[in-house]
Amino acid sequence: MTPSPQLNLAIRAAREAGTIALQQFDRHAHLKIEEKGRSDLVSEADQMVEKEILFHLRKGYPQWDVVAEESRPRRRQRSEWCWVVDPIDGTTNFIHGIPHFAISIALMREQEVMAGVVYHPVSGELFMAERGAGAFLNDHRIRISKTERLQQALICTGFPVRHAPYLPPYLTLFNQLLPLCHDMRRSGSAALDLAYTAAGRFDGFWEVGLAPWDMAAGVLLLREAGGIVSDLNGRNSFIHSGHIVAANPVIHEQLVAHTQAWGSNQSSS
Ligand code: 2AM
Ligand code: CA
């Protein structure tokens, strides 16, 4: 794939910001940390990394909107083009010294994700995709797993610790699904979960209560790798609801057969 100028800019921004993230990760025990909400932490590292990313993106395309996790206002509604940025996806891992976090940068045109980068600076793995051009890990094309039986599927998820009302219905679903799968993983970075699912490392992913910057780049990776993404009811409203199921078409159908009950007996859809 020959990346477009926009994707090249996102890659450059992610790599430069990744260097700062690694420097800050080395001193994670000394970072200043604030609590934005319940179990919702932000460190000075998140803010420094975001500043670096926005510097590059705004220099390249000063007229385009930016929605970034640590910046306000969240949407300026001026341009049809919008960067969607998560400076450190997996902040809790980062703060605890667990090397599983990523920089996520997506470019949206209206409601469509056109380009996306998920960068894991600790390993140097850079996942990227452009609409219609496939998904790549560094120089290699990636594809979704071919597993067709839920019983053989390694499924990844995340716990809705910041959304107390979602916990009981989430745990009901977890209880149902765990014995039907090979096993479940909970990594703490939705962006990497989607990237790993796109690369066939996980056979599927589901989570509730995510924000657009957790998902946008990963969703494009997933689709361009041949996967299907929907909300828990199998519909297309996941960017708004934050509830997401992603897998190859066969496993996706089997997962949604269980998750589609979501929202039928509580107001969480
Ligand atoms: P973060 O590390 O950038 O905060 C873990 O389950 C995943 O969910 C991470 O990608 C984490 O992103 C995200 N996440 C956790 N709580 C969230 C919330 N309240 N809103 C949006 N995303 C959240
Ligand atoms: Ca995030």
Side-chain angles (χ1 to χ4, degrees):
M1 177 179 60
T2 311
S4 67
Q6 299 91 307
L7 181 60
N8 264 328
L9 177 65
I11 292 169
R12 195 161 66 245
R15 288 199 190 280
E16 297 285 336
T19 304
I20 296 175
L22 287 179
Q23 286 161 0
Q24 295 304 309
F25 186 63
D26 279 344
R27 57 177 290 271
H28 67 87
H30 306 287
L31 290 173
K32 255 193 277 160
I33 293 160
E34 289 166 40
E35 200 163 349
K36 289 188 285 185
R38 191 197 172 282
S39 301
D40 197 353
L41 306 176
V42 57
S43 75
E44 54 184 325
D46 297 72
Q47 288 155 346
M48 288 169 73
V49 173
E50 184 162 303
K51 203 169 150 203
E52 177 73 13
I53 297 168
L54 300 197
F55 167 77
H56 290 280
L57 299 182
R58 288 194 168 127
K59 201 165 119 199
Y61 296 92
Q63 71 284 18
W64 289 2
D65 274 339
V66 177
V67 174
E69 180 166 15
E70 314 304 344
S71 303
R72 286 185 176 69
R74 287 263 160 89
R75 179 117 210 192
R76 286 161 28 227
Q77 304 282 14
R78 279 196 325 227
S79 166
E80 60 177 324
W81 294 91
C82 182
W83 296 106
V84 181
V85 175
D86 195 342
I88 298 179
D89 188 56
T91 298
T92 301
N93 285 343
F94 188 99
I95 288 168
H96 284 257
I98 299 167
H100 192 77
F101 57 86
I103 290 164
S104 175
I105 303 175
L107 177 62
M108 293 187 73
R109 183 178 193 178
E110 304 291 356
Q111 300 302 308
E112 283 298 331
V113 188
M114 305 302 289
V117 173
V118 173
Y119 181 45
H120 182 221
V122 174
S123 66
E125 287 191 324
L126 191 134
F127 299 86
M128 63 181 153
E130 214 146 11
R131 192 155 179 249
F136 293 79
L137 163 52
N138 297 333
D139 293 335
H140 306 292
R141 184 93 196 240
I142 51 173
R143 290 184 201 284
I144 200 99
S145 96
K146 292 191 170 66
T147 304
E148 295 200 336
R149 292 182 53 219
L150 204 47
Q151 251 180 11
Q152 293 168 342
L154 182 61
I155 303 296
C156 190
T157 188
F159 307 138
V161 282
R162 292 175 218 174
H163 303 275
Y166 294 161
L167 254 179
Y170 173 88
L171 291 172
T172 302
L173 263 178
F174 187 89
N175 253 326
Q176 257 179 46
L177 282 171
L178 181 60
L180 301 176
C181 305
H182 169 64
D183 204 346
M184 292 254 193
R185 293 288 180 271
R186 192 278 195 250
S187 88
S189 165
L192 282 176
D193 293 345
L194 282 161
Y196 281 23
T197 307
R201 293 174 179 177
F202 295 131
D203 299 300
F205 169 65
W206 67 290
E207 184 158 352
V208 298
L210 290 174
W213 45 82
D214 301 320
M215 294 183 273
V219 160
L220 184 66
L221 286 166
L222 204 291
R223 285 182 168 152
E224 290 296 326
I228 304 266
V229 190
S230 73
D231 66 14
L232 271 59
N233 305 110
R235 293 190 294 257
N236 199 28
S237 67
F238 56 90
I239 284 279
H240 302 290
S241 67
H243 310 331
I244 183 170
V245 184
N248 71 39
V250 183
I251 295 289
H252 181 267
E253 194 181 328
Q254 293 171 59
L255 286 172
V256 169
H258 296 275
T259 62
Q260 67 188 357
W262 182 270
S264 58
N265 47 13
Q266 80 280 332
S267 56
S268 52
S269 61

